[in-house]
């Protein structure tokens, strides 16, 4: 699995199956970077840090529903729209819709950036 469409489709499939940590492990480069408004748009660098952040998120939530769109492609980039409803333990229910933009180099995702309203 090396092409941008193959990576995008695999990412969407894993996320729709709630296999987020597996998605990072399988598809992301060791030095991948993530920019997330939930982290004040401060870059998170390194696969280990991305996986740890994901595990922390998953420990705090119960996901009820997720829908990942078909990908849109532009060269080495692709984007997906994630729609998710979940309960944050001790806080309450949330509904999130975000545009996620990914860059692929050498068969791995090297960056992701999330945009939410």
């Amino acid at each position: 699995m090396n092409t941008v469409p193959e990576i995008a489709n695999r990412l969407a499939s894993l996320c729709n199956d709630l296999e987020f940590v597996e998605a990072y492990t399988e598809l992301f480069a060791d030095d991948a970077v993530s920019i997330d408004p939930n982290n004040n748009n401060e870059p998170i660098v390194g696969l280990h840090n991305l996986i740890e952040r994901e595990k922390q998120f998953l420990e705090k939530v119960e996901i009820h529903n997720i829908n990942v769109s078909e990908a849109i492609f532009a060269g080495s980039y692709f984007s997906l729209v994630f729609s998710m409803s979940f309960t944050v333990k001790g806080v309450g229910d949330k509904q999130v819709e975000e545009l996620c933009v990914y860059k692929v180099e050498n068969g791995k995702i090297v960056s992701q950036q999330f945009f939410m309203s």
Side-chain angles (χ1 to χ4, degrees):
M1 174 178 15
N2 293 327
T3 70
V4 175
E6 289 171 334
I7 292 167
N9 290 334
R10 179 69 175 150
L11 179 62
S13 175
L14 287 168
C15 290
N16 274 321
D17 291 339
L18 305 180
E19 297 290 340
F20 304 110
V21 173
E22 174 67 25
Y24 279 112
T25 302
E26 181 179 326
L27 300 173
F28 282 70
D30 290 338
D31 59 350
V33 176
S34 178
I35 299 174
D36 186 336
N38 290 319
N39 195 48
N40 297 319
N41 289 317
E42 294 284 330
I44 300 168
V45 180
L47 181 57
H48 173 76
N49 294 327
L50 297 178
I51 290 172
E52 287 306 309
R53 179 157 167 81
E54 191 66 26
K55 286 179 179 178
Q56 290 171 7
F57 171 75
L58 293 172
E59 288 174 3
K60 295 188 288 188
V61 301
E62 177 186 349
I63 299 172
H64 306 296
N65 185 30
I66 186 167
N67 183 36
V68 182
S69 72
E70 294 290 321
I72 298 172
F73 301 99
S76 61
Y77 290 87
F78 69 93
S79 63
L80 299 165
V81 175
F82 281 70
S83 299
M84 184 168 29
S85 63
F86 54 92
T87 300
V88 179
K89 295 174 185 167
V91 176
D93 293 338
K94 289 193 81 167
Q95 176 74 33
V96 176
E97 187 171 60
E98 58 188 347
L99 174 66
C100 309
V101 179
Y102 301 89
K103 182 176 184 182
V104 176
E105 289 179 354
N106 300 317
K108 293 285 186 175
I109 297 170
V110 295
S111 69
Q112 66 180 3
Q113 185 168 2
F114 304 119
F115 300 90
M116 293 180 244
S117 57

